[in-house]
Amino acid sequence: MPPPFKPTVVVLAAGYGRRFARSGGTTHKLDAMLGDGTVLAQVLRSVVASGLPCHVVRRAEGVSSSGMDGMGYSIARGVAATADADGWLVLPGDLPLVRWQSLTAVAQSLATHAVVVPQCGDQQGHPVGFDRTCREALLQLQGDTGASAIVRARRQAGTAHSLLLDDPGIAIDIDTCDDLARAQALLASGAFAQGAGDGKR
């Protein structure tokens, strides 16, 4: 039997969170408390539950806001650090309500597609999956535009797949204190408890 296909989840946790600070946040947004843990801890809880390998990209020491700390650069750093991975699931560290079932669904779909973009209703979200054929392009990313150009190119080539998920958490990020309060209310409602739903439809 061949070994299981397990792409690595690259959790992006290197941003400054300036919008959160401007909205009144007194900590970095990833360190803000949500439920019984921090925003980042909730994300990592889903990653651990998925059983997928994980690499967290944190801010490099001594790096200033000079274009070397944007989302693209963070993705490139994460891919470079896990260059032998089966593929990569790019997951921003500020999506604390994403379900672990969504991660496994994207990983499974990535076994047969070059790029997998999760979608809930009319909203696209994360994690976005990339197989090994995307490695060199991912390594070239820089700035704060992420991997959108790679996704567009793969869509044009017919090798990108939109994966429908029943998980609003793939698109609920924390940018402001109001976002955090909304996430807190949703978490308290029980609708986003780990294990809720089946992650797919």
Side-chain angles (χ1 to χ4, degrees):
M1 292 288 292
F5 178 80
K6 284 194 172 184
T8 294
V9 182
V10 175
V11 179
L12 306 180
Y16 287 91
R18 294 187 177 97
R19 285 182 60 191
F20 188 76
R22 288 197 298 268
S23 73
T26 57
T27 67
H28 190 284
K29 66 178 181 178
L30 300 186
D31 296 325
M33 291 300 298
L34 178 63
D36 60 356
T38 64
V39 169
L40 182 59
Q42 296 287 1
V43 173
L44 295 178
R45 185 175 296 175
S46 289
V47 176
V48 170
S50 75
L52 296 169
C54 174
H55 179 79
V56 180
V57 180
R58 300 185 185 275
R59 193 180 314 150
E61 290 296 326
V63 172
S64 64
S65 55
S66 60
M68 296 295 287
D69 56 350
M71 180 180 289
Y73 182 67
S74 291
I75 294 171
R77 284 177 53 206
V79 171
T82 57
D84 294 330
D86 290 337
W88 300 271
L89 270 59
V90 175
L91 179 62
D94 64 351
L95 269 76
L97 302 183
V98 64
R99 294 175 179 154
W100 68 264
Q101 295 96 332
S102 296
L103 305 187
T104 57
V106 173
Q108 290 166 2
S109 183
L110 193 61
T112 54
H113 299 91
V115 170
V116 177
V117 181
Q119 185 170 332
C120 181
D122 60 356
Q123 285 193 302
Q124 292 186 4
H126 288 86
V128 177
F130 301 89
D131 76 358
R132 287 183 59 81
T133 67
C134 299
R135 184 177 66 175
E136 293 307 313
L138 292 168
L139 289 172
Q140 298 302 314
L141 292 175
Q142 54 186 314
D144 201 34
T145 57
S148 57
I150 299 175
V151 174
R152 281 197 303 273
R154 292 294 180 161
R155 285 196 190 281
Q156 291 171 358
T159 57
H161 175 62
S162 293
L163 179 66
L164 295 180
L165 300 176
D166 185 15
D167 179 8
I170 66 170
I172 299 176
D173 58 356
I174 307 298
D175 281 330
T176 66
C177 289
D178 285 345
D179 293 338
L180 183 65
R182 177 188 176 208
Q184 185 68 65
L186 290 169
L187 195 63
S189 74
F192 286 84
Q194 292 302 330
D198 63 2
K200 296 199 297 181
R201 66 179 179 186

